Amino acid sequence: MARRSPQEEKTLSYEKDRRNDYGENDKSSRKNIRRNKRLPNRADRHRERGLLAPATGAVELEAAERAEIALHAKKSMWDTKRWRKWRDSPLRDVVIHKLRRRAALGMLGPDESERRADRVRRRAR
């Protein structure tokens, strides 16, 4: 494996490193991903239990059929309120967005912001 120059390392960093730009604490994802996968399944279990309750006990074909029809009539929460994981953005995009935001807020001059953004874009090629 050949050694990389610092410039190559910087280019690879802009391309491969990722940053959470969703707007929440990156540590909270550990809990929120599990929670968002868990809640629709829990809602489905509660709904199914409520719909199947009349069909418990002695076997009555009409009650069992009504319960089955009601169960299949409504879609799963997993299908209707679909939550998906969202991958983090490349570091290059996050840095360019921050530079533009600083220019819009007056923290940097527009020329300075674009000069720095161009430098980031050149390194990322």
Side-chain angles (χ1 to χ4, degrees), residues 1-5 8-9 12:
M1 185 171 142
R3 286 182 50 100
R4 292 191 181 113
S5 70
E8 290 173 320
E9 291 284 339
L12 286 174

Side-chain angles (χ1 to χ4, degrees), residues 87-100:
R87 73 181 203 191
D88 295 337
S89 298
L91 179 61
R92 174 195 65 234
D93 296 344
V94 173
V95 169
I96 291 171
H97 177 73
K98 282 185 178 185
L99 289 170
R100 286 189 179 142

Side-chain angles (χ1 to χ4, degrees), residues 4 17-18 22 43 50-51 54 63 71 90 92-93 117 119 123:
R4 292 191 181 113
D17 290 357
R18 299 257 172 193
Y22 188 68
L51 291 174
L71 189 63
R92 174 195 65 234
D93 296 344
R119 192 170 69 198
R123 283 190 178 151

Side-chain angles (χ1 to χ4, degrees), residues 39-52:
L39 287 178
N41 292 325
R42 183 171 186 244
D44 286 342
R45 285 194 305 270
H46 283 254
R47 181 180 61 84
E48 290 168 4
R49 184 188 296 150
L51 291 174
L52 293 175

Side-chain angles (χ1 to χ4, degrees), residues 53-108:
T56 57
V59 178
E60 293 181 28
L61 291 179
E62 292 95 25
E65 283 184 25
R66 280 194 305 265
E68 186 176 358
I69 290 170
L71 189 63
H72 293 295
K74 189 167 182 195
K75 283 190 171 186
S76 165
M77 288 289 286
W78 190 252
D79 293 333
T80 58
K81 300 204 187 234
R82 187 64 185 235
W83 176 84
R84 298 239 175 186
K85 289 199 287 188
W86 195 264
R87 73 181 203 191
D88 295 337
S89 298
L91 179 61
R92 174 195 65 234
D93 296 344
V94 173
V95 169
I96 291 171
H97 177 73
K98 282 185 178 185
L99 289 170
R100 286 189 179 142
R101 183 174 174 272
R102 288 175 187 166
L105 292 173
M107 297 167 66
L108 270 179

